[in-house]
Every structure is written in structure tokens, then in C-alpha cells.
Amino acid sequence: MTNPIIYPEPIEQAIASLENWLQSIGEQNILRHYSLSPRSLALLLLQKDPTIWQTLKQDDKQQQEVEVLLTVAENQLQYPVDLAIAESREKHARNLAGITIQTTQPAANSTQEILHRLSVNPITGFPILMVILYFGVYKFVGEFGAGELVDRIEGFFEGQINPIVNQIVAQILPWQPLQDLIGNDYGIITLGIRYATAIVLPVVATYFLMFSLLEDSGYLPRMSLMLDRLFKSIGLSGRAVIPMVLGLGCDTMATMVTRTLETKRERLIATFLLSLAVPCAAQWGVILGLLAQKPAALMVWGGLIVAIFLFVGYLSAKFFPGTSGAFYLEIPPLRLPKLGNILTKTWIRMKWYFWEILPLFIWASVLIWLGKLTGLFDLIIRGIEPFAVAIGMPPDTAPIFLYGFFRRDYGAAGLFDIQQQGGLTGNQLVVAAVVLTLFLPCIAQLQIMIKEQGLKTTAIMVAFIVPFAFLIGYCVNLFLNVLGVTL
Amino acid sequence: MNALSKVQIGQVQTVAQLQTQDITIRRKLMALGITPGSSLVLEQRFPSYVVKVGYTRAALDREIAASIFVR
């Protein structure tokens, strides 16, 4: 090393003693497999590097010796050792930068800088956030993805593919139940694959496209800093904004991303809120499509879900001990995203999502087929019917709640089917949409929840969510009826 | 010595002290280049603190910002 950093005297002394000590113990040195120079090891020990200390803990005697040396250095310095080391390095780096870097006057008023200021200033930033959500999420994903695209692909399936499939199976398969497995009302192709490709995929694709765009532009960290205070009141921090926004795309993916949150408490609350009150793109896309003609119904649904999200978040912040995680985030410069990168990212996420759901949708079709064949399905549906009726739904919506157990979006897609046949009033649509939004997460998300939070915690969450969803549905229905509101 | 909540926005400040017992917060601040002796510019306080340190820009919440003292 040509020009080593010189640390304050007590630290240099501590480094020297640690170096001597490391050399004196030679082969017994528990840290020797790191293949670092004694000076580097000494510095890492002084900075209390977690990995090195973890290794050191395996040998009580060596750990004690290091602790003694460290205490001596700390007492001499009267200052945190790690801070002193960082300061020396900073100073060294600043000197180096001063010698080698020529700075031109930074453009204080570049477009990038102005856009940054507008996006984080509270007066302009919150309206910008609203505009981005309105156009990016509502207009692009909701109206274009869930409306336009779904209509077209769905129409193509209903008009072109399903009749052909039904015709073919009717000709080559001699047995009615076998025909039903592939085609007709609940067939693998006519229901499972149709739901996956025609109803869910366009919504998810447009959402991931929008998310990748926001991600690459550098806007997401700004969104986090704008929303940190609000999130603190529900026991989270600005850091949780990204998983929550991702949850509006796919809750399963978002539950995995909660791993990046700092405290166990934050991860717990985020997972809980994701599974209860954050509908995934496929779900809210379909619901948006259902309620699009009834703005009042849409407002009731949206308002209620947001209110439940905030209120349950607030309660869980009170209920779970501890404080919100600290919020600090580097804010990268705003950049014009590269189209190629965005398309690649979207493509990878879509592929992951599609292969994740397709087998589940096919299985759901098979299970429904089996259930129908054995009569078990009818039995379960009859069990659900009283609940459906209690929340003001016609009995033939009971299967939707059963589908909803397989996947929330699957249930929503089923609701879409019934609505196409013109079977529901505005009030019923709102109640069904609310219950399905709050209802149990899909099977994939449940698996990830168990993986991230353990079986016990997940079971408690589920035991809360299911009755809560129906209770809220019951209350909404009651409330609308008592007030005599027709949406 | 001044708390970050008291200083003027947009002026170059020199960090005097980090007053926090929380080692993870201190580490994070150090990693962002906020150490005693370094200079920073406070850009805003609401809804979160935004500071510029060298070529880096960082958002901090109130609690963390309260541990930074400048002169």
C-alpha cells in the first residue's frame, strides 16, 4: 500500500497491539481463513464488524483478548472508535478528491434538479404523486389494462377459442365429464387458462410496466420520503412504501420484498396489511372494471379499503410493541429510463408471475371439476351460501368466495363473469368487491407468508382476516340497506 | 453548535457531532458520508429531511435528523 490512511494515535496503537497479538497466536487465529492482512483484520475488529465478530465469538479466549484491547483504545480516545475511523477515511477521501477532481460549477437549475425539487416539495410533490397515481395506476393499468385489453382478449377467447375448444372436445372425447375437464364452463382451457391469460395477465403486465418505469426513473425513493410520516402513523416507515406499491401489482412478490424492511415489527405489520387491505393488480383491475359504470360504488369501495388500510394499520401500530423503523434513504438522481431495461424487467416479472399462477389456475379448474364430479363442491358451496346470503348476495355467488380461496384474483374474475351475465345490483357488487379485497390472500401468498413469518403468525392473521372480511361485508350491506342507498 | 432543525435551508453547514446511542443509525450516517467535519446542505425539512452531502442526496426522518449537529 503506497499511501495508507493514518488514524488517530490511540487507534494506531490499538491496531499495532492487535497486529502483534494476531501474529503471536499464529495458527490458532480463528480469523486466519479470511486471508486479510493483520492491519485489515485489526481495523475490522475495531469497527465491530458483525461478520468478523460472529466468527470471533466461537473462541471465548480470543474474544476476551480483543475486547480488552478495544476497551483500552476506547478509553484513550474518549470517542466512538468506529466514528473516528470513518472520519479519518472521510478526510483522506476528501483530500484525494480535492487533488484529483476538477469540479465545474454544478448546474443548479438543470431540468433534472428542477424536477427533483418539484417532486419532493410538499406543495407540488403531493399533487404530482396524485397525478402519477391517477394516470399511471388508474388510467393506464385500470382503464387501459383492466378495461381495454381485458375486454379484447377476453372477447377473443369467448368468441374464437372457447367455441372451438368446446367443439373439439365434444367430438374427440366421448364422456361428458372428460369434456368438462378441458372445455365448457369450468374447463382447464376455457376457465383456467382463460382467466390467467385474458383477465389477469393484461392487468399485471400493464402494472409491471408502470412499476418498472417508476423504478428506473428514480421516483420511488421520492415517493418514500413524501409518505414516510403517513406510514409512521401506521407503524411502518417510508421504506415500506415500495413493498406496498409493489403489492398493488402482486402481493406475493411484495410479501417477499418485506424482507428489506428493518425491524421484525415492520415486516409483521407490512405483511399483515398486504394480506388484508392491499388488493393485487389483477384483483383491483377486475373490480375497477366491474364498478366502472358506477362511480359512487367505486368511491365507496376505494374509500372503504383505504380507510381500513389506515385504521387497521394504526391499530396494529398501537397493538404491536416497539417503534417504527428509522427512515433513511439515498435519493438517486432522476433519470430518463431506458426503454430496453424497462421492457426486460417487465418481461421477467411477467414471466415469473405467469408461470407462478398458471399451474394454480389449472389446478383450480381441476379441483372444481373434481369437486363438482364428486358433489363435494356443492356441499362446500351450500355451506358458504348462508354467509353469502347474510351479506346480501344472491346464493349463486357462493362459488366466487370458494374460488377466492384459491386466488383472490380468481374470485374477482369469477365475479366479472357473473356481472357479464347482468346478475348483480350496485350494492351487491360493492359488498362482494369489499369482501373479496379483504378476503384471504391467494395460495401463493399464503405460502410466502408462512415462509417469511412462520406458520403460527400466519394462522393468527388468517383467523383474523376471514371473519373480518365477512363482518365488514355484512356491515356495509346493513349500512347501505338501513340508509336506503342504492349504488 | 446547532441542531439541524434550527439551521437555514440551502446553506453549507459543517457537521460537528452525531448524538446518537444507536450504532446502526451512526453507521448509516457514516456510510452516507455524514461524519463530524464533513459538510452538508439542508434542502428541506418537510415531509422528510433532505440533505445533500458531497454528490449524494439523502432523505432522513425527524428522529435521525435530530442526532445531527452542525456548526
Side-chain angles (χ1 to χ4, degrees), chain A residues 47-50 79-80 82-83 86-87 90 94 101 103 113 116 120-122 126 222 225-226 228-229 232 239 325-331, chain B residues 18 23-28 30 32-33 35-39 43-50 52 55-64:
Chain A
Q47 291 171 93
K48 295 235 167 84
D49 178 83
Y79 198 67
D82 56 344
L83 195 56
E87 269 179 65
E90 269 284 321
R94 266 201 300 274
I101 298 176
T103 37
E113 193 59 30
H116 160 76
V120 295
N121 184 312
F126 287 112
R222 288 166 175 84
L225 89 84
M226 294 302 286
D228 177 56
R229 287 210 185 181
K232 285 268 166 69
R239 213 167 271 275
F327 174 67
Y328 41 73
L329 200 62
E330 195 179 328
I331 309 292
Chain B
L18 303 181
I23 191 159
T24 46
I25 289 180
R26 199 165 69 210
R27 285 220 170 112
K28 189 69 197 181
M30 289 183 330
L32 288 167
T35 54
S38 64
S39 32
E43 294 189 330
Q44 68 177 57
R45 292 196 183 91
F46 186 84
S48 295
Y49 278 71
V50 176
K52 195 147 191 196
Y55 297 97
T56 308
R57 187 175 257 142
L60 309 168
D61 64 17
R62 255 183 307 185
E63 292 72 25
I64 296 179

Side-chain angles (χ1 to χ4, degrees), chain A residues 272 276 308 387 391 434-435 438-441 458-475:
Chain A
F272 179 55
L276 178 72
I308 288 172
F387 291 99
I391 61 172
V434 167
V435 175
L438 298 176
F439 203 58
L440 258 196
T458 308
I460 295 172
M461 286 186 188
V462 171
F464 173 82
I465 289 170
V466 178
F468 183 78
F470 274 101
L471 182 71
I472 295 288
Y474 181 78
C475 292

